[in-house]
């Protein structure tokens, strides 16, 4: 609730029943909501989110259990709620729906929440893919090659084809950018397949989220509550954590410096905060610590929600000035140590033992310490947290649909588009290379076929020449055979011919002599 210019969160259980409030100009000093399961962290988160909304501050919350989207519906007047309202003396309390916009990385329970591969960057993407140092360096090189060749990396298919492109031209790029291996590129490709199976293909695309669309108020000046539907997303903890890291980075890099403001520009609640720190490489942890320290000057407040303060690194924990501690259980020595550490982080209240009180808190009760006007932590107070004005529990599909249709974001984000990027350009290049390769192969095939034809023609010519020669030889053989036969025939006729010739010769001589005698008178009488 927003009361007298302050965010009223709870009521101290002391003699004066003091109202425990956050001063708006101190709200961007960040905060922590901690406590064991079932101790009331979600209700505290809802009360804080509603109070910020009433103050005109937009809010982001991660809904990992599916019970925060119900802030779009008014609360239900139950007997238990009536008792709590009466106990707190909440005059004028009314059940109120809050301006809510629901988002979903997987695009199922809310407006699709997207970013591009380029905006994610190689460092966060390497974390998301679980790459080792060598593979991470190669991924950075691939991003650089894409930039140098003006190839936009928007979605996973862009990056996959970019990996193939670099692998095809590996020797060319090794000279300019350093050593890379096909094995490492193949490992990155395999990690992309795993990411797609976790739903990463929905997260990368366009239109990418414009963070300014989260910084808006409704017609009554109340800040919009942006709910990330993460019921399924939380089952992919690495994707969930990397999304949160990207969101922090996006805020830090794109929002202008604001200095000290009267109230935050926006407040972010990161539920299951331990996931944010468990999956982050040591090098990236330094970046998170830097962002948490410096993002306050951008007018952004960050509140981590987790089971134990020990889930948050000390460097980050020291930046969280506003704290709500629900019950912790001390069943084991490790639990007792965590309780002791949590108690020591508060400014002691002489009226009770902080360490003992942490283990005695009931549901909806908390130890609270907020920053005062001077930025100093107040003395810890044992409090009961106010009831939320919106509905507790989940919403129906019809109520979710109505919320999505009326929040003003559907027209911009519900329909994705796929502009020309690395995939289209590289595919065209690959197609041209494939066409050129096919043309060369076809020419080689034609040349081969031509040579085979010429070879066959030469073979046929030689066969024809062979047949011609064989024919000539056969004809010659036949001719010679005929001549031989003729000679043989003549040989058989030679004796008769000789006798006839001899007779003719004798007759001829005798006749010749008689003619001569006749002429010259020497004829015998």
């Amino acid at each position: 609730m927003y009361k007298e210019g302050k965010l009223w969160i709870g009521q101290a259980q002391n003699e004066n029943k003091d109202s425990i409030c956050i001063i708006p100009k101190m709200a961007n000093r960040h905060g922590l909501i901690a406590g064991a399961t079932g101790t009331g962290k979600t209700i505290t988160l809802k009360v804080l989110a509603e109070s910020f909304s009433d103050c005109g501050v937009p809010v982001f919350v991660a809904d990992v259990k599916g019970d925060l989207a119900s802030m779009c519906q008014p609360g239900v007047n139950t007997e238990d709620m009536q008792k709590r309202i009466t106990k707190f003396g909440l005059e004028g309390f009314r059940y109120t729906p809050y301006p809510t916009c629901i988002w979903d990385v997987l695009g199922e329970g809310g407006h699709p929440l997207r970013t591009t591969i380029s905006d994610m960057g190689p460092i966060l993407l390497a974390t998301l893919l679980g790459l080792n140092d060598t593979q991470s360096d190669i991924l950075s090189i691939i991003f650089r090659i894409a930039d140098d060749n003006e190839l936009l990396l928007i979605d996973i298919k862009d990056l996959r084809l970019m990996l193939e492109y670099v692998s095809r031209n590996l020797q060319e790029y090794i000279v300019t950018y350093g050593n890379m291996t096909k094995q490492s590129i193949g490992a990155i490709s395999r990690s992309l397949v795993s990411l797609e199976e976790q739903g990463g293909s929905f997260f990368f695309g366009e239109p990418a989220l414009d963070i300014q669309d989260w910084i808006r108020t409704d017609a009554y000046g109340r800040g919009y509550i942006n709910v990330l539907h993460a019921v399924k997303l939380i089952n992919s903890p690495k994707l969930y954590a990397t999304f949160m890291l990207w969101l922090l980075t996006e805020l830090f890099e794109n929002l202008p410096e604001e200095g000290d403001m009267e109230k935050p520009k926006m407040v972010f609640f990161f539920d299951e905060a331990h996931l944010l720190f468990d999956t982050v490489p040591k090098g990236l942890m330094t970046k998170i610590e830097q962002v948490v320290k410096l993002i306050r000057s951008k007018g952004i407040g960050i509140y981590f929600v987790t089971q134990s303060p020990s889930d948050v690194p000390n460097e980050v924990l020291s930046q969280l000035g506003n704290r709500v501690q629900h019950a912790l259980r001390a069943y084991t020595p490790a639990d007792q140590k965590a309780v002791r550490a949590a108690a020591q982080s508060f400014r002691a209240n002489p009226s009770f033992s902080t360490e003992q009180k942490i283990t005695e808190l009931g549901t909806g009760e908390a130890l609270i310490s907020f920053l005062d006007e001077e930025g100093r932590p107040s003395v810890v107070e044992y409090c009961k947290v106010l009831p939320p004005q919106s509905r507790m529990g989940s919403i129906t599909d019809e109520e979710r649909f109505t919320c999505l249709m009326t929040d003003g974001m559907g027209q911009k984000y519900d329909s994705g588009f796929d502009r020309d990027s690395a995939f289209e350009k590289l595919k065209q290049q690959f197609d041209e290379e494939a066409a050129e390769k096919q043309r060369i192969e076809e020419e080689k095939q034609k040349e081969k076929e031509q040579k085979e034809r010429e070879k066959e023609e030469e073979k046929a010519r030689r066969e024809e020449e062979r047949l011609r020669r064989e024919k000539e030889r056969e004809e010659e053989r036949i001719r010679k055979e005929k001549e031989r036969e003729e000679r043989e025939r003549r040989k058989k006729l030679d004796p008769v011919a000789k006798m006839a010739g001899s007779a003719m010769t004798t007759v001829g001589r005798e006749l010749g002599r008689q003619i001569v005698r006749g002429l010259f008178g020497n004829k015998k009488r």
Side-chain angles (χ1 to χ4, degrees):
M1 297 182 69
Y2 189 54
K3 176 183 177 182
E4 298 176 354
K6 297 180 180 180
L7 284 72
W8 186 18
I9 306 302
Q11 188 179 77
Q13 299 305 294
N14 54 23
E15 294 180 359
N16 299 323
K17 300 294 181 181
D18 295 325
S19 297
I20 304 301
C21 304
I22 294 181
I23 300 171
K25 71 176 183 178
M26 292 296 165
N28 66 341
R29 303 296 176 92
H30 312 319
L32 174 70
I33 303 172
T37 301
T39 56
K41 297 191 298 296
T42 300
I43 296 300
T44 300
L45 189 158
K46 292 187 75 167
V47 172
L48 277 166
E50 292 175 358
S51 300
F52 278 117
S53 178
D54 288 334
C55 184
V57 177
V59 174
F60 167 86
V61 296
D63 186 7
V64 299
K65 296 189 290 289
D67 55 359
L68 294 181
S70 56
M71 283 189 278
C72 68
Q73 298 295 320
V76 179
N77 189 24
T78 63
E79 182 179 349
D80 181 62
M81 283 293 293
Q82 282 295 330
K83 289 180 181 179
R84 296 180 70 181
I85 292 169
T86 302
K87 183 184 295 185
F88 284 108
L90 301 176
E91 298 180 3
F93 181 91
R94 60 190 181 90
Y95 299 104
T96 305
Y98 282 82
T100 305
C101 188
I102 308 173
W103 304 84
D104 189 353
V105 169
L106 303 180
E108 296 178 358
H111 299 300
L113 203 163
R114 309 179 186 91
T115 187
T116 66
I117 293 286
S118 294
D119 286 342
M120 172 69 74
I123 297 176
L124 281 180
L125 188 58
T127 301
L128 181 58
L129 295 175
L131 305 182
N132 60 34
D133 291 342
T134 300
Q135 294 161 357
S136 299
D137 291 342
I138 290 175
L139 185 63
S140 297
I141 292 174
I142 289 170
F143 269 69
R144 177 66 181 276
I145 293 172
D147 288 342
D148 291 347
N149 289 274
E150 298 182 349
L151 296 170
L152 289 175
L153 299 178
I154 294 176
D155 52 25
I156 287 181
K157 70 177 188 297
D158 288 325
L159 182 55
R160 182 184 292 110
L161 215 60
M162 189 68 200
L163 291 168
E164 182 180 347
Y165 169 73
V166 173
S167 182
R168 287 188 181 189
N169 301 277
L170 199 57
Q171 295 305 315
E172 174 186 347
Y173 289 118
I174 284 176
V175 176
T176 306
Y177 296 93
N179 189 41
M180 294 179 283
T181 65
K182 290 189 176 182
Q183 290 80 2
S184 294
I185 294 175
I188 298 173
S189 297
R190 288 194 299 274
S191 297
L192 278 179
V193 174
S194 176
L195 176 60
E196 284 184 295
E197 291 177 351
Q198 296 182 55
S201 57
F202 296 100
F203 182 41
F204 295 107
E206 290 185 312
L209 173 68
D210 181 356
I211 205 69
Q212 295 295 333
D213 287 334
W214 282 7
I215 307 176
R216 60 192 182 114
T217 57
D218 68 358
Y220 301 100
R222 297 183 301 172
Y224 260 88
I225 298 175
N226 296 278
V227 178
L228 173 65
H229 182 71
V231 176
K232 287 188 177 180
L233 182 64
I234 200 66
N235 294 323
S236 301
K238 186 170 288 187
L239 181 58
Y240 173 79
T242 306
F243 166 76
M244 293 300 189
L245 289 174
W246 166 78
L247 194 55
L248 279 175
T249 306
E250 190 76 1
L251 289 166
F252 181 70
E253 293 180 351
N254 292 292
L255 294 180
E257 291 286 335
E258 298 288 355
D260 290 327
M261 305 177 68
E262 288 302 312
K263 61 182 180 181
K265 179 181 290 186
M266 192 172 187
V267 171
F268 282 74
F269 292 90
F270 293 116
D271 203 358
E272 300 294 338
H274 65 281
L275 295 176
L276 187 64
F277 304 106
D278 287 348
T279 60
V280 175
K282 188 174 182 180
L284 198 54
M285 183 63 71
T286 304
K287 176 72 172 179
I288 297 174
E289 295 166 4
Q290 179 188 27
V291 169
V292 173
K293 290 177 182 178
L294 300 179
I295 203 170
R296 179 185 65 81
S297 63
K298 309 267 185 174
I300 302 298
I302 300 173
Y303 288 72
F304 296 100
V305 184
T306 189
Q307 292 195 11
S308 173
S310 61
D311 295 334
V312 182
N314 290 332
E315 292 78 4
V316 176
L317 195 62
S318 63
Q319 303 297 316
L320 312 182
N322 300 298
R323 299 195 180 191
V324 179
Q325 178 65 63
H326 288 278
L328 290 176
R329 309 308 177 199
Y331 298 130
T332 67
D335 293 338
Q336 294 167 7
K337 183 178 179 181
V339 169
R340 193 176 305 113
Q344 292 172 352
S345 65
F346 285 105
R347 184 178 169 188
N349 188 326
S351 63
F352 59 84
S353 167
T354 305
E355 183 175 343
Q356 180 179 349
K357 183 64 72 175
I358 288 177
T359 62
E360 297 174 348
L361 294 171
T363 302
E365 299 177 341
L367 298 180
I368 299 178
S369 174
F370 294 143
L371 298 177
D372 63 16
E373 292 279 358
E374 302 299 323
R376 298 168 300 192
S378 64
V379 172
V380 63
E381 293 287 355
Y382 164 49
C383 308
K384 290 186 179 292
V385 178
L386 298 180
Q389 294 173 265
S390 60
R391 184 198 296 176
M392 291 186 286
S394 59
I395 58 176
T396 65
D397 292 340
E398 290 76 11
E399 289 168 340
R400 184 182 300 274
F401 179 77
T402 300
C403 180
L404 294 173
M405 290 297 102
T406 57
D407 59 19
M409 290 289 104
Q411 185 174 2
K412 181 174 182 179
Y413 290 102
D414 285 353
S415 298
F417 59 86
D418 187 10
R419 58 174 165 151
D420 286 352
S421 53
F423 177 82
E424 286 74 19
K425 291 184 178 180
L426 291 177
K427 187 175 185 301
Q428 181 180 358
Q429 180 176 331
F430 288 174
D431 289 345
E432 290 174 353
E433 290 175 355
E436 178 64 15
K437 184 177 179 181
Q438 183 177 358
R439 185 188 65 80
I440 293 173
E441 289 296 327
E442 288 176 352
E443 288 182 355
K444 287 182 178 179
Q445 183 64 24
K446 288 179 180 179
E447 184 178 347
K448 181 180 178 181
E449 290 174 354
Q450 179 65 25
K451 288 181 178 180
E452 288 179 352
R453 281 196 301 270
E454 291 176 355
K455 186 177 179 181
E456 289 296 323
E457 289 174 357
E458 177 65 17
K459 183 178 179 181
R461 187 188 65 77
R462 289 178 180 177
E463 180 66 15
E464 183 180 354
E465 180 66 18
R466 184 184 67 79
L467 293 174
R468 184 186 65 78
R469 287 196 299 268
E470 286 185 355
K471 183 179 179 182
E472 289 178 351
R473 285 196 297 269
E474 181 66 16
E475 289 176 350
E476 179 67 15
R477 185 188 65 78
I478 293 172
R479 183 184 65 78
K480 289 181 178 181
E481 181 66 23
K482 286 182 178 180
E483 289 179 351
R484 186 186 64 77
E485 289 176 353
E486 182 64 21
R487 285 194 301 270
E488 290 294 327
R489 186 183 65 80
R490 287 178 179 177
K491 285 180 180 180
K492 291 177 181 180
L493 295 175
D494 275 352
V496 176
K498 285 181 178 180
M499 291 175 63
S502 178
M504 288 298 295
T505 302
T506 302
V507 171
R509 282 197 302 268
E510 183 62 29
L511 180 61
R513 284 194 296 268
Q514 289 178 5
I515 292 172
V516 171
R517 289 188 190 111
L519 291 176
F520 293 99
N522 293 325
K523 184 175 177 183
K524 291 182 177 180
R525 300 216 178 243

